[in-house]
Amino acid sequence: EAAVTQSPRNKVAVTGGKVTLSCNQTNNHNNMYWYRQDTGHGLRLIHYSYGAGSTEKGDIPDGYKASRPSQENFSLILELATPSQTSVYFCASGDLQNYAEQFFGPGTRLTVL
Amino acid sequence: GDQVKQSPSALSLQEGTNSALRCNFSIATTTVQWFLQNPRGSLMNLFYLVPGTKENGRLKSTFNSKESYSTLHIRDAQLEDSGTYFCAAVRVNTGNYKYVFGAGTRLKVIA
């Protein structure tokens, strides 16, 4: 079974609307990450978390919030979505004790109109 | 500038041939991961490396931390090897493990 799942897999939102992307992992990893992927940029880190209750800013956090209510769940929140946030979003989990190897979910394609 | 630079950016290989992809790092890093993103968009883990070499079937990867590069060798390329290969380096920063990704190498294997 997939150890990192994301929902929804596809989302169309309107400018100014609120969008929540969800991620669940069954790896029992401490760390979780949100990335976005745009053509020509590879993956860029938005927010990450060390465990339940913790969120940290990544390299491109502006316009995004994150929430880690439990070990298994990590959400990415766009309070006021903009067309520039149209992208593919990936969630990952990783365990400090396993040399930080990361395992990715299948991605969420978000289109903001 | 690019902290993780991948080369080439795109590559076309004849089935059955060999090639090497490269990542150069301008950040201090202790570990490297290689991924293959398949045409459907899924990211598959290929290798996780501390300095040294790992091999898995037709793939072999080396990470040289002293010279700040990593390579991924593909032997006897097959059609299913097509996709985009990403390397990612752990940016050494006190207390956390943050990855920086390269922009990827798009590989097309042709019959």
Side-chain angles (χ1 to χ4, degrees):
Chain A
E1 305 84 19
V4 182
T5 56
Q6 295 181 230
S7 64
R9 295 293 313 278
N10 290 281
K11 172 76 177 177
V12 178
V14 296
T15 297
K18 182 177 181 178
V19 176
T20 300
L21 306 183
S22 299
C23 178
N24 177 275
Q25 57 107 354
T26 58
N27 294 321
N28 199 30
H29 286 158
N30 293 319
N31 294 356
M32 295 186 74
Y33 308 83
W34 275 106
Y35 296 87
R36 63 179 283 175
Q37 183 180 28
D38 303 292
T39 304
H41 284 280
L43 277 75
R44 292 181 291 173
L45 182 64
I46 306 170
H47 283 289
Y48 61 102
S49 168
Y50 294 124
S54 109
T55 59
E56 304 289 337
K57 292 181 179 179
D59 297 322
I60 52 165
D62 293 346
Y64 303 93
K65 292 183 180 179
S67 173
R68 182 87 181 271
S70 65
Q71 177 86 338
E72 298 80 17
N73 295 295
F74 190 37
S75 297
L76 185 68
I77 303 152
L78 291 66
E79 295 278 4
L80 294 169
T82 68
S84 64
Q85 294 175 313
T86 293
S87 188
V88 179
Y89 291 85
F90 286 94
C91 174
S93 74
D95 188 350
L96 277 174
Q97 276 123 16
N98 192 26
Y99 304 101
E101 183 173 9
Q102 294 195 1
F103 299 87
F104 282 80
T108 294
R109 184 173 296 276
L110 173 65
T111 302
V112 182
L113 301 176
Chain B
D2 293 339
Q3 299 177 41
V4 177
K5 191 168 179 60
Q6 288 190 242
S7 60
S9 58
L11 180 63
S12 186
L13 280 181
Q14 199 75 32
E15 199 175 12
T17 60
N18 306 330
S19 189
L21 314 181
R22 184 166 172 120
C23 274
N24 289 308
F25 311 115
S26 61
I27 54 173
T29 184
T30 57
T31 51
V32 174
Q33 270 195 265
W34 282 92
F35 302 88
L36 168 60
Q37 187 168 39
N38 65 23
R40 289 191 305 169
S42 297
L43 283 162
M44 301 161 46
N45 287 30
L46 297 178
F47 291 104
Y48 176 86
L49 292 162
V50 294
T53 298
K54 284 188 177 179
E55 193 163 355
N56 184 5
R58 297 180 292 101
L59 301 180
K60 182 170 77 172
S61 185
T62 297
F63 171 34
N64 185 321
S65 58
K66 290 182 181 177
E67 297 184 24
S68 298
Y69 74 88
S70 178
T71 55
L72 177 67
H73 295 266
I74 303 173
R75 175 174 54 82
D76 184 24
Q78 301 297 304
L79 297 176
E80 61 265 28
D81 295 333
S82 296
T84 302
Y85 290 80
F86 290 99
C87 66
V90 170
R91 183 170 50 210
V92 175
N93 195 7
T94 304
N96 62 57
Y97 291 84
K98 293 198 291 184
Y99 274 95
V100 179
F101 279 76
T105 294
R106 291 185 307 282
L107 173 65
K108 184 173 182 179
V109 180
I110 54 178

